[in-house]
Amino acid sequence: VRKNFCAGQRCFAKMCHITMGHLNSAVHIRPERPWSYYVEWAENLWYKRPIDWDRTWGPTFDKLTATLTPRAMIQTGFSGGRNKGKDSPIEVKVEVVWGHAYLAYVSMGIHDCGNPIILRDGTVAIYNFENYLVEKPDQCHKESIVDKGKMDVVWHMAEAFAKATTFDSIRIDIFIPENGDPREAVINEISLSSGAGYAWHWEFFTKLWVDGYKARKLRRSIGKVPPVANFQESVEKIARGKEWYAKEYSKCNPKFISDA
């Protein structure tokens, strides 16, 4: 792997059945490290079953993750990271409900600028954990992300994935380049739940999700059939990846798709 696939570029290994970052489920494959380091890492995690002990939905999700077959994946690193690509990339976690992006939480942003929430109207604000009603404007990320049009690509990409997979609610984590073309953004990972701090947005975010099921129930009560997910089509769209996103969903719109 290191000699062929990872030659001349950064590579990472990740355990697909481990869902929590604090278990060190991903590791940077470095040429100077002995291979025994990665063997030990894999052996420690291969049969481990994650226990989400610090979240309210833990007991329910633990039953789901217990059914996962251990797997590992190798992927190349994102080239548009901070500090001329040498540092961690800017990452935003986008919550999409019924196919529409509600907010984006900046989990890894501009250094020393905090972790704000970005809304669809361009509002960028930081909330204090001590008092979620206190809202502090964040000009730093507004200038570096929103004003440069990067969120247009992020909203579009997140909604594309959610619609392709027909999730009712999904968090989509996206890497965006600190400098350069925002259309080079890529999806890092997805999550069915989130431990991020969304302040008072939690209440409305949850209500949107519940209202969707109420609407489906109402349609049935008046003799109408609500939309039904076709998971085979979803799998095919994801398998086609870039082609489906660029041609069918984005219609080759240069605002979202680069010539490259």
Side-chain angles (χ1 to χ4, degrees):
V1 171
R2 287 193 290 185
K3 290 181 179 179
N4 299 319
F5 183 72
C6 298
Q9 57 185 334
R10 293 190 302 164
C11 273
F12 297 84
K14 177 174 173 56
M15 288 294 174
C16 303
H17 60 291
I18 303 296
T19 59
M20 285 89 75
H22 68 262
L23 290 177
N24 298 319
S25 59
V27 63
H28 186 182
I29 301 177
R30 301 178 183 274
E32 65 272 15
R33 278 179 179 165
W35 190 247
S36 59
Y37 174 90
Y38 303 104
V39 172
E40 182 180 357
W41 169 82
E43 289 178 343
N44 288 337
L45 292 176
W46 190 255
Y47 295 107
K48 184 178 289 295
R49 292 300 178 184
I51 299 177
D52 216 348
W53 57 270
D54 62 340
R55 293 172 181 171
T56 56
W57 55 80
T60 301
F61 268 70
D62 288 346
K63 294 178 182 179
L64 293 175
T65 54
T67 66
L68 298 177
T69 301
R71 288 289 187 272
M73 62 180 278
I74 306 294
Q75 65 182 116
T76 57
F78 181 62
S79 60
R82 299 172 294 187
N83 189 20
K84 298 181 179 181
K86 299 178 182 179
D87 204 348
S88 301
I90 295 174
E91 183 181 40
V92 292
K93 301 177 182 293
V94 185
E95 292 288 355
V96 184
V97 189
W98 300 112
H100 298 278
Y102 178 96
L103 59 77
Y105 174 79
V106 182
S107 62
M108 293 191 296
I110 306 301
H111 287 303
D112 301 321
C113 284
N115 305 100
I117 288 176
I118 303 175
L119 301 181
R120 295 302 296 266
D121 64 357
T123 299
V124 185
I126 294 178
Y127 298 87
N128 297 317
F129 279 97
E130 295 80 10
N131 186 351
Y132 273 152
L133 296 179
V134 175
E135 184 177 284
K136 179 183 177 182
D138 183 335
Q139 192 64 24
C140 179
H141 286 96
K142 184 178 187 306
E143 294 176 352
S144 61
I145 297 179
V146 177
D147 293 348
K148 291 184 178 180
K150 295 180 181 179
M151 289 307 300
D152 293 337
V153 176
V154 169
W155 300 130
H156 180 77
M157 183 176 290
E159 290 183 347
F161 184 89
K163 291 175 181 177
T165 53
T166 64
F167 278 107
D168 52 357
S169 177
I170 187 74
R171 193 192 80 196
I172 301 168
D173 303 350
I174 297 177
F175 287 158
I176 56 178
E178 181 178 25
N179 300 302
D181 194 337
R183 297 172 297 180
E184 295 177 357
V186 298
I187 294 176
N188 173 35
E189 60 183 359
I190 63 172
S191 179
L192 297 178
S193 59
S194 181
Y198 297 147
W200 48 267
H201 292 287
W202 272 122
E203 177 183 353
F204 299 99
F205 176 63
T206 304
K207 186 177 185 300
L208 286 172
W209 179 71
V210 172
D211 285 349
Y213 280 101
K214 288 182 177 179
R216 293 174 67 86
K217 184 177 180 180
L218 178 61
R219 286 180 67 91
R220 292 192 182 95
S221 69
I222 58 178
K224 295 184 178 181
V225 179
V228 178
N230 186 322
F231 295 110
Q232 183 58 42
E233 288 185 1
S234 297
V235 171
E236 292 174 356
K237 290 175 181 178
I238 296 302
R240 290 166 57 197
K242 293 182 179 180
E243 178 193 357
W244 177 85
Y245 173 72
K247 294 182 178 179
E248 295 187 28
Y249 187 81
S250 303
K251 308 298 182 184
C252 297
N253 186 336
K255 180 178 181 181
F256 306 112
I257 307 298
S258 65
D259 295 335

